[in-house]
Amino acid sequence: MLLLGLASAANAADVPVKARPIVTPAWAPTISVYSLFDMISYRSAFPGREFRARAYQSLSGFNYTLTPEWTVGAGIIYSFQNADLDYLGPGAFSNSDGLSGFVSTSYNIPNWFTVGGSAGIGKAWIHQERFVGLVRSIADYDANTWFASGFVSRTFQSGNLFVIPTVRVLARESAAEGFIESTGIINAAQTSTSFEVDYGGQVSYAIQAPGGWVLYPTAQVFGLHYFKLPLYQSNRDGVDLKLGASATVGNWSMGAFYMTILGIDAYRDYHGGRFFLSYNFGGSPAPGPVPLTRVVGDRPLPIYR
């Protein structure tokens, strides 16, 4: 809410000798809540670990402005993944449910950069079935997960054009427990850890529309480089691409995007859609396009069995 200074009434004699008071908007904290939903299909082409997967993921959270420059937030990520495990033979499949909690923060250095990060921990519950000979072999096991990330970005504006170059780092791990299948087959515990650096950015163009709407056609391109490869991935470099549009009206922001990953054998034929919706309490969203990625939740962890 903007608090405007109120000037007392002045007569005609006051005008030449009294300056009109300067009206300065007062800053007030705001809170925004948001929800993001992804639908994805992809396959792994890593030799000996071929599978096809369909994944659904929701990310919901909030951001709170402690100061005009400093924002903190938290949220939860739920994911579901169904996979045809080709490497285990005909009819083999798995289903997994994952739940993670995270915290995030960002700080804007005026006229310079925005820096921030996020960290989260979670767990996945996996159900697997396959045939050993003519006998169905069933297993259930858990995997503990964590991630930590950081980013540096800057927003450049020229008229209605916005360019946001960004560098971000991401470390994450999935530790699957050992388990015994119903046929007595023993599977050892496995831990997959990765560390990557992403570099690129986002380009958007503002289009004023009737009714107070502002549309932002947007493209986001990031190069991916893995300094430490996760299990069952041999490609160190790839490309993360998103194309779509966001919009703002009043206190609402929303958007829809197509996304794909190119050049990584663990994410072949990766195609997906992203939809998001957010609402600001205490003030309208800041002018400009919504950054598509501040919290890591973009890519599901591949199945390690």
Side-chain angles (χ1 to χ4, degrees):
M1 178 182 295
L2 299 179
L3 302 179
L4 303 179
L6 299 179
S8 60
N11 59 40
D14 291 324
V15 175
V17 296
K18 286 188 177 180
R20 188 177 297 275
I22 298 174
V23 178
T24 304
W27 178 83
T30 63
I31 184 169
S32 62
V33 295
Y34 61 90
S35 185
L36 176 153
F37 181 72
D38 291 344
M39 299 184 297
I40 304 161
S41 66
Y42 69 102
R43 67 182 178 92
S44 168
F46 186 88
R49 279 298 187 277
E50 299 89 352
F51 66 82
R52 297 177 182 274
R54 296 152 296 280
Y56 307 90
Q57 184 165 269
S58 66
L59 187 155
S60 299
F62 73 90
N63 288 319
Y64 181 75
T65 57
L66 290 174
T67 72
E69 293 81 24
W70 187 18
T71 299
V72 296
I76 57 173
I77 302 170
Y78 169 75
S79 61
F80 172 80
Q81 185 168 271
N82 170 260
D84 299 321
L85 306 180
D86 301 331
Y87 67 94
L88 290 179
F93 74 91
S94 69
N95 295 321
S96 66
D97 291 277
L99 188 65
S100 300
F102 67 87
V103 293
S104 63
T105 186
S106 64
Y107 189 86
N108 179 52
I109 304 171
N111 301 317
W112 284 94
F113 303 100
T114 298
V115 297
S118 60
I121 58 173
K123 193 166 190 173
W125 297 266
I126 301 96
H127 174 80
Q128 175 183 296
E129 296 188 19
R130 62 168 167 159
F131 286 95
V132 179
L134 297 177
V135 179
R136 185 179 295 274
S137 189
I138 301 173
D140 292 280
Y141 63 96
D142 299 341
N144 294 314
T145 63
W146 63 261
F147 74 83
S149 71
F151 74 89
V152 178
S153 69
R154 181 168 181 177
T155 299
F156 295 93
Q157 182 179 359
S158 176
N160 288 357
L161 180 66
F162 294 82
V163 179
I164 310 175
T166 303
V167 175
R168 60 194 186 198
V169 296
L170 164 62
R172 61 178 179 174
E173 180 177 281
S174 174
E177 65 180 7
F179 63 93
I180 302 175
E181 299 179 38
S182 60
T183 53
I185 298 174
I186 298 174
N187 293 262
Q190 294 189 32
T191 298
S192 177
T193 306
S194 66
F195 180 76
E196 68 179 91
V197 174
D198 306 341
Y199 50 93
Q202 178 175 318
V203 178
S204 303
Y205 189 84
I207 301 174
Q208 299 290 332
W213 287 82
V214 183
L215 308 178
Y216 296 94
T218 297
Q220 184 188 80
V221 181
F222 276 95
L224 311 177
H225 178 74
Y226 286 81
F227 284 95
K228 180 176 176 54
L229 287 170
L231 288 178
Y232 313 125
Q233 178 178 314
S234 60
N235 298 120
R236 290 192 177 272
D237 296 284
V239 176
D240 185 328
L241 172 65
K242 296 180 178 69
L243 299 171
S246 63
T248 61
V249 59
N251 286 15
W252 292 94
S253 297
M254 62 209 71
F257 297 87
Y258 164 78
M259 53 189 181
T260 188
I261 294 174
L262 305 172
I264 297 180
D265 55 356
Y267 296 106
R268 290 287 169 82
D269 301 325
Y270 188 104
H271 301 285
R274 164 166 295 179
F275 309 90
F276 78 85
L277 182 68
S278 69
Y279 185 84
N280 264 41
F281 294 92
S284 298
V290 178
L292 293 184
T293 306
R294 286 284 174 85
V295 173
V296 175
D298 286 315
R299 300 189 295 281
L301 287 166
I303 295 186
Y304 299 126
R305 295 303 189 193

